[in-house]
Amino acid sequence: MRKSKWIGMLIALLMFTAALPGKSEAAYVPPGGPGTGGLQDIVLIYSGYYNPANYGGEDISAWPQEQFKPYASFLDPNGNRKDTFFRDYLFLGLQGPNGRSFVRETDAAKAGLKSDWEWFLDRIFTSNNLQLRALNEETKAAGAAIGQPDMRNQVTIMVPFANENVTAFGDVDGDGVSENLTTLAGREKVTHWYISEVIRRFNEAHYSNLDLKGFYWLKEDLDTTKADEVSLVKDTAAYVHQQGDYKFFWIPWSKAYAATQWKTFGFDFAILQPNHFVNRSDTTSPETIKTSAAKSSNAGMGVEIEFDNQILRSDKYRERFYDYLNGGLEYGFMNGSVLGYYQDARGLYELYKQKDKGYSIYEDLYRFVKGTYVTDHEVSTLLNTFESTRFPSSASVQTSTATDIHVQGNASMKTDFGAYANSVLTGNYGADFAIKDWSAFDSFRIDAYNPSDTNGAVTVVIGDSSGNQHYAYAALYKKNWNTIRIPIADIVNDTGGSPQEPGTVPVNVRDIAYVKLVERNNANYPALPNTLYFDNMRLVEHNGVRLNDFEWLGGATSSSVTLATTKTTIREQNTALQADFNLYNVSMLTMSAGTNFKETDWSGEQALKVDIYNPNAGAMNLGVKLTDAAGHVYYKRIHLLPGQWNTAQINLADAAAGLNGTAEEGVSSAMDLSHMQKIEFYQRNNSSYAALPNRLFFDNVRLGKLQP
């Protein structure tokens, strides 16, 4: 096991399990130890059948060596191998090319047969440079490139489910009689045959850089009302262990009955699926990760990290993925637990391949696997949440507030595009968004939901006060949230325009005047009229630091400020911090390193930013106090306009030099930005501040570029 994970594991287990009342003896199943056979970060490699007709003619689960490259090694953007990445691989599939399944099927016609099981074995044990052989060769290449020529990776293989409704499975023992799976003996027989075949084929392949470590029970639930099914699992466990030093494990889904009783069925370990990312009904939240982590820890299980290609289509799913990473840090499973990584067919490969959308996520997943992830570096500054302010209706587009469909917060902007040659909706600087200088940011983004059963499109037009315009044509996947991303560099440089919408010219991004949403009555768009929903219009920085958005970490501590989380007055995602400043000489809330923010090295960042809502009738001041590890302090008084969100920022160059603090608040000293310890927000009971008590809301505490 990596040293960083050993150290982190001990600390994380002590902290998290101590927080579980009555469960201090509980712990995740430790990674890399004897209980897992050395397994710790197990990436799922789906090698079953995916119809190439649905993927542009490509066999996406063929797994050539090139596809394994970003898994076996951490690659820089130019494709150079820099370090090891995943060392543990699970090969599995859901069905064969005949449409028959490897899991439970009530319809006997869909249940897997010997020919299907053999198809899977033939596929992964092919002599071509695909699948296991490709992983072996890439492991060898990776080891040579990073100076570890003897590097070996670990492999586990699925065990398909023998369905009890199959009467003619196929002959596995050469007696000329097709096996009958309606009996437990028949099901045990074919399962033993399959496991023996895996071991025989693996040994005969003589892979130079792979070790077979065990077997995975594919079916994600267990029907304990069927005695034969329980007996089959127990018998499979016993048979696996009889064959040698192999491990037998399970990854049940979040609501699988008896998942937490995994030990009683003979499994060596089990990993629980939170099913947060893959929840398409929006009945999940970051709390799901907390709840699932506690369930895993209490039952001595591992945790599954989950994502698929939706992460590239919509930032909604990007946020969900980071819920897992942040949860791993907060609840101790990043370093304290064996982990599984569900990535659909080849999600990690797509993250690396689509570098503009995915490489930063790829980097953070690498850091997570290595046990060094700290925080998300992509931060947003909101232009319009559409909670209360929407673009005004135009002659051709009607807008309204929708509370039933939204990507963040409580509402979105419903837009009904009319049957016109051009259906255009305009949001203007000053009325519909408050930032005109976009030069400090990397991209403009807005989320669009297409409720149609067919794919759609919309054009976003960004213009300056001189009328120069940038056109971005965006395809919108059906019945889904889609994130429209427009690089600021494209707006400046007259690049990235759309052939469907010619006319793009350089735009002055220091003087943005409007954003238009456009549909036209031509072949590039669905027939008008139609409806789209828009939400979360924002400016994004790629290299900021997310300190606390109050979705995960505790917001703050205080003896003089009453603190509560709220889901009503929010700025970013779904939760904000409500702070009631009480009647004290100084009413102060404290955000502490480790507890309320993880990243203590602020060097290289330009500004500390925080979104603050002032619900009071008049403008008011707020004090900010920064403290570094040596006890040096920096004071700054900030001004908050009434009845709106304010983005307050502190120039970190000033803080580093001890300059331009607010003298009346206290003596400011030069700060060591590489070792920051506290952020404190306070009000005083004097004439510089509004009368106490009063209320403010805080959200989206971050580091980023200094805005003009």
Side-chain angles (χ1 to χ4, degrees):
M1 189 190 300
R2 292 174 291 275
K3 182 178 179 181
S4 62
K5 282 218 168 185
W6 273 116
I7 296 171
M9 179 185 77
L10 294 174
I11 296 172
L13 291 182
L14 288 172
M15 291 178 63
F16 183 57
T17 57
L20 299 170
K23 293 291 184 178
S24 59
E25 76 286 355
Y28 304 112
V29 57
T36 66
L39 299 167
Q40 58 182 30
D41 291 288
I42 307 168
V43 61
L44 279 62
I45 305 297
Y46 279 84
S47 298
Y49 180 74
Y50 294 84
N51 189 345
N54 298 328
Y55 300 94
E58 183 182 2
D59 182 355
I60 63 168
S61 60
W63 288 100
Q65 183 177 339
E66 180 269 340
Q67 204 160 290
F68 276 118
K69 188 176 178 182
Y71 293 77
S73 303
F74 172 68
L75 306 179
D76 68 17
N78 297 319
N80 300 308
R81 299 177 179 92
K82 307 302 290 184
D83 192 7
T84 59
F85 200 163
F86 280 104
R87 307 297 304 278
D88 310 320
Y89 296 81
L90 165 57
F91 284 76
L92 71 165
L94 300 179
Q95 67 174 17
N98 292 316
R100 291 190 289 267
S101 173
F102 297 131
V103 294
R104 183 198 304 280
E105 289 291 346
T106 56
D107 182 353
K110 295 180 180 179
L113 305 177
K114 177 174 180 280
S115 59
D116 303 299
W117 293 23
E118 285 182 317
W119 173 86
F120 179 76
L121 294 176
D122 291 343
R123 184 167 176 82
I124 64 172
F125 288 108
T126 177
S127 59
N128 297 325
N129 194 24
L130 301 168
Q131 306 287 345
L132 284 164
R133 188 159 298 281
L135 176 59
N136 183 76
E137 295 308 303
E138 183 52 37
T139 302
K140 188 188 306 181
I146 62 178
Q148 299 182 28
D150 298 326
M151 187 174 81
R152 304 179 69 83
N153 282 332
Q154 304 184 121
V155 171
T156 55
I157 309 292
M158 77 162 184
V159 177
F161 184 69
N163 278 278
E164 70 233 39
N165 53 13
V166 174
T167 57
F169 177 81
D171 179 15
V172 301
D173 58 5
D175 64 0
V177 178
S178 186
E179 313 305 338
N180 182 358
L181 305 192
T182 62
T183 68
L184 176 60
R187 299 170 78 189
E188 292 175 342
K189 184 177 184 180
V190 302
T191 303
H192 293 183
W193 161 80
Y194 173 87
I195 292 167
S196 297
E197 273 292 291
V198 169
I199 295 171
R200 179 185 68 81
R201 293 191 190 207
F202 192 93
N203 290 337
E204 291 180 357
H206 299 295
Y207 299 118
S208 60
N209 293 73
L210 299 180
D211 296 316
L212 180 62
K213 300 301 293 186
F215 294 86
Y216 162 66
W217 186 252
L218 179 65
K219 198 164 76 65
E220 296 178 355
D221 60 3
L222 182 60
D223 189 346
T224 57
T225 66
K226 297 181 177 180
D228 280 3
E229 186 167 321
V230 174
S231 296
L232 177 62
V233 176
K234 291 181 176 180
D235 176 79
T236 301
Y239 190 78
V240 166
H241 296 142
Q242 290 165 13
Q243 305 316 300
D245 190 19
Y246 299 116
K247 296 300 180 183
F248 184 50
F249 69 101
W250 188 30
I251 310 180
W253 76 296
S254 58
K255 297 182 180 179
Y257 183 71
T260 57
Q261 281 78 56
W262 57 272
K263 288 182 182 179
T264 65
F265 308 120
F267 294 111
D268 294 294
F269 64 94
I271 296 170
L272 186 66
Q273 302 176 30
N275 297 140
H276 173 54
F277 185 98
V278 297
N279 184 305
R280 299 296 188 248
S281 61
D282 291 334
T283 56
T284 187
S285 74
E287 283 291 312
T288 301
I289 301 297
K290 180 179 181 180
T291 302
S292 185
K295 184 175 180 180
S296 288
S297 181
N298 290 340
M301 302 174 76
V303 177
E304 182 171 78
I305 311 301
E306 300 161 325
F307 70 97
D308 59 29
N309 282 347
Q310 289 274 30
I311 200 172
L312 296 168
R313 183 179 296 131
S314 169
D315 281 357
K316 168 183 179 178
Y317 290 98
R318 183 190 186 280
E319 292 290 347
R320 284 194 186 177
F321 172 74
Y322 275 88
D323 289 340
Y324 290 82
L325 302 195
N326 296 333
L329 189 66
E330 185 72 2
Y331 307 131
F333 58 78
M334 177 175 74
N335 287 318
S337 174
V338 66
L339 300 170
Y341 294 81
Y342 170 80
Q343 43 117 32
D344 199 10
R346 56 179 192 186
L348 187 77
Y349 174 77
E350 295 295 342
L351 286 180
Y352 179 76
K353 186 178 178 182
Q354 298 191 39
K355 292 184 177 60
D356 59 331
K357 300 177 183 178
Y359 187 78
S360 64
I361 306 173
Y362 174 80
E363 284 184 300
D364 279 337
L365 184 56
Y366 160 74
R367 296 184 184 106
F368 188 85
V369 169
K370 293 295 183 180
T372 61
Y373 169 81
V374 176
T375 189
D376 185 5
H377 286 265
E378 184 172 283
V379 297
S380 299
T381 296
L382 273 294
L383 291 173
N384 197 325
T385 64
F386 302 113
E387 296 290 305
S388 57
T389 303
R390 61 181 188 270
F391 292 2
S393 297
S394 68
S396 56
V397 185
Q398 294 296 309
T399 65
S400 57
T401 299
T403 57
D404 55 335
I405 296 176
H406 46 83
V407 72
Q408 61 88 47
N410 306 300
S412 67
M413 177 175 68
K414 182 180 181 182
T415 57
D416 293 301
F417 290 88
Y420 294 81
N422 301 301
S423 195
V424 181
L425 181 67
T426 303
N428 292 293
Y429 164 70
D432 305 305
F433 58 92
I435 301 175
K436 65 183 293 187
D437 186 341
W438 296 6
S439 60
F441 301 92
D442 296 299
S443 67
F444 165 89
R445 298 187 191 180
I446 187 169
D447 292 315
Y449 183 79
N450 174 16
S452 174
D453 291 325
T454 59
N455 293 341
V458 69
T459 291
V460 178
V461 182
I462 296 171
D464 60 27
S465 61
S466 298
N468 303 308
Q469 297 188 145
H470 179 92
Y471 294 82
Y473 175 87
L476 302 178
Y477 193 73
K478 59 187 177 183
K479 288 193 174 298
N480 245 284
W481 281 103
N482 302 261
T483 297
I484 301 169
R485 302 173 175 90
I486 305 175
I488 301 300
D490 282 353
I491 303 173
V492 172
N493 298 320
D494 184 20
T495 54
S498 306
Q500 298 90 343
E501 289 279 2
T504 289
V505 298
V507 171
N508 180 5
V509 295
R510 295 183 181 276
D511 185 27
I512 298 298
Y514 55 84
V515 174
K516 294 182 179 180
L517 305 173
V518 181
E519 291 207 319
R520 305 194 193 280
N521 216 350
N522 63 36
N524 293 321
Y525 300 86
L528 290 167
N530 58 50
T531 297
L532 297 173
Y533 298 80
F534 293 92
D535 203 354
N536 200 17
M537 190 170 82
R538 61 206 182 276
L539 297 168
V540 173
E541 298 171 57
H542 299 321
N543 296 309
V545 175
R546 183 178 294 187
L547 291 176
N548 197 326
D549 56 10
F550 307 113
E551 304 292 319
W552 277 109
L553 299 167
T557 57
S558 180
S559 60
S560 57
V561 181
T562 304
L563 302 172
T565 56
T566 177
K567 295 182 181 295
T568 55
T569 305
I570 57 176
R571 184 62 169 170
E572 200 267 347
Q573 290 200 76
N574 303 293
T575 307
L577 182 69
Q578 177 180 304
D580 287 286
F581 291 83
N582 295 313
L583 188 55
Y584 289 81
N585 185 42
V586 179
S587 188
M588 177 181 290
L589 63 88
T590 301
M591 296 178 62
S592 301
T595 304
N596 310 120
F597 60 91
K598 299 295 186 183
E599 181 58 78
T600 59
D601 184 356
W602 298 6
S603 58
E605 298 294 334
Q606 296 180 8
L608 167 68
K609 305 181 188 182
V610 57
D611 294 332
I612 305 172
Y613 186 80
N614 173 12
N616 303 290
M620 59 188 297
N621 291 324
L622 182 73
V624 183
K625 177 183 177 183
L626 305 181
T627 307
D628 66 17
H632 302 130
V633 295
Y634 183 82
Y635 293 94
K636 190 73 173 180
R637 188 188 298 160
I638 57 179
H639 192 66
L640 305 176
L641 297 176
Q644 67 181 58
W645 282 99
N646 300 258
T647 296
Q649 59 178 354
I650 292 178
N651 186 328
L652 292 180
D654 284 352
L659 300 175
N660 298 317
T662 306
E664 307 95 291
E665 298 298 334
V667 178
S668 293
S669 303
M671 310 292 293
D672 179 1
L673 295 182
S674 63
H675 296 90
M676 297 302 296
Q677 288 298 300
K678 288 182 182 179
I679 308 167
E680 293 174 292
F681 299 101
Y682 63 87
Q683 294 195 63
R684 300 187 190 275
N685 201 5
N686 65 32
S687 59
S688 295
Y689 291 87
L692 291 167
N694 58 55
R695 173 176 293 176
L696 293 172
F697 297 86
F698 295 80
D699 206 351
N700 199 18
V701 184
R702 62 205 185 276
L703 305 177
K705 295 178 183 176
L706 190 67
Q707 294 169 227

